[in-house]
């Protein structure tokens, strides 16, 4: 069995979110809201917006049982001011930490769903459909996957510049 404290989990969350914030600040509002010239690519702004949705759904609804409203598709179209997004990221980070306050990592998820789409039937083969500790691993998986996506997106945008 693997055990991790909420503090340790949040260290990984902070590492990913802080790295994304640095990329966004370095790009500035214009480039952070621009898609690279690649079919289906997302803006860095949209990537972080999606990560906040991941944290809200998986941490808020699935771990803490909070009622949430999420428009996953809109996350990928999001554009706006970096200052607002970074404030939302800080608030989402605080909310995720609060969502973990009463965590029972062995308990079943409260609303497991495949690929963060509320309403989908869970696939029992997916560990995050079985226990809340696995949900936390899924959050970290998503954050670091999207950090890599943002790093590549940044590189493409700067090469086009």
């Amino acid at each position: 069995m693997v055990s991790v404290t909420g503090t340790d989990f949040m260290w990984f969350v902070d590492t990913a979110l802080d790295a994304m914030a640095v990329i966004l600040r370095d790009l500035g509002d214009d480039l952070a809201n621009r898609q690279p010239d690649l079919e289906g690519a997302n803006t860095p702004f949209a990537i972080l917006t999606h990560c906040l949705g991941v944290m809200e759904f998986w941490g808020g609804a699935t771990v803490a049982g909070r009622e949430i409203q999420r428009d996953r598709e809109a996350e990928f179209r999001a554009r706006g001011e970096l200052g607002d997004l970074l404030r939302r990221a800080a608030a989402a980070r605080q909310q995720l930490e609060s969502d973990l306050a009463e965590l029972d990592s062995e308990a079943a998820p409260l609303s497991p769903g495949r690929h963060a789409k509320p309403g989908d039937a869970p696939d029992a083969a997916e560990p995050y459909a079985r226990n809340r500790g696995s949900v936390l691993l899924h959050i970290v998986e998503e954050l670091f996957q999207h950090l890599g996506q943002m790093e590549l997106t940044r590189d493409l945008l700067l090469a086009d510049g």
Side-chain angles (χ1 to χ4, degrees):
M1 164 150 358
V2 174
S3 178
V4 65
T5 66
T7 300
D8 291 343
F9 171 75
M10 290 307 299
W11 182 89
F12 287 98
V13 169
D14 289 341
T15 298
L17 291 177
D18 290 348
M20 288 185 211
V22 167
I23 290 170
L24 288 164
R25 282 189 202 101
D26 287 349
L27 289 173
D29 279 315
D30 181 50
L31 285 177
N33 282 285
R34 191 178 301 173
Q35 288 177 255
D37 188 20
L38 185 66
E39 186 175 337
N42 298 302
T43 69
F45 191 100
I47 294 168
L48 180 54
T49 300
H50 172 64
C51 287
L52 302 182
V54 165
M55 291 164 52
E56 179 76 357
F57 176 76
W58 291 100
T62 308
V63 170
R66 284 189 299 105
E67 184 111 2
I68 66 155
Q69 296 297 315
R70 181 180 186 201
D71 184 347
R72 187 176 184 277
E73 296 306 314
E75 294 166 10
F76 296 105
R77 295 185 307 271
R79 298 195 188 292
E81 299 285 325
L82 285 183
D84 293 339
L85 179 61
L86 295 176
R87 282 188 288 280
R88 285 191 0 240
R93 184 249 179 247
Q94 289 300 108
Q95 182 61 61
L96 180 60
E97 188 171 39
S98 294
D99 289 340
L100 302 179
E102 302 296 321
L103 176 69
D104 175 358
S105 63
E106 293 300 313
L110 295 166
S111 59
R114 184 173 176 79
H115 305 298
K117 294 179 185 173
D120 285 353
D123 180 341
E126 295 169 334
Y128 48 84
R130 292 192 294 268
N131 66 66
R132 294 179 203 174
S134 293
V135 170
L136 299 185
L137 290 175
H138 181 59
I139 292 169
V140 168
E141 170 194 34
E142 287 287 316
L143 292 177
F144 280 96
Q145 170 188 318
H146 289 300
L147 170 58
Q149 178 189 10
M150 189 183 289
E151 290 169 335
L152 290 170
T153 301
R154 172 205 56 209
D155 294 349
L156 289 169
L157 289 168
L158 292 175
D160 287 346

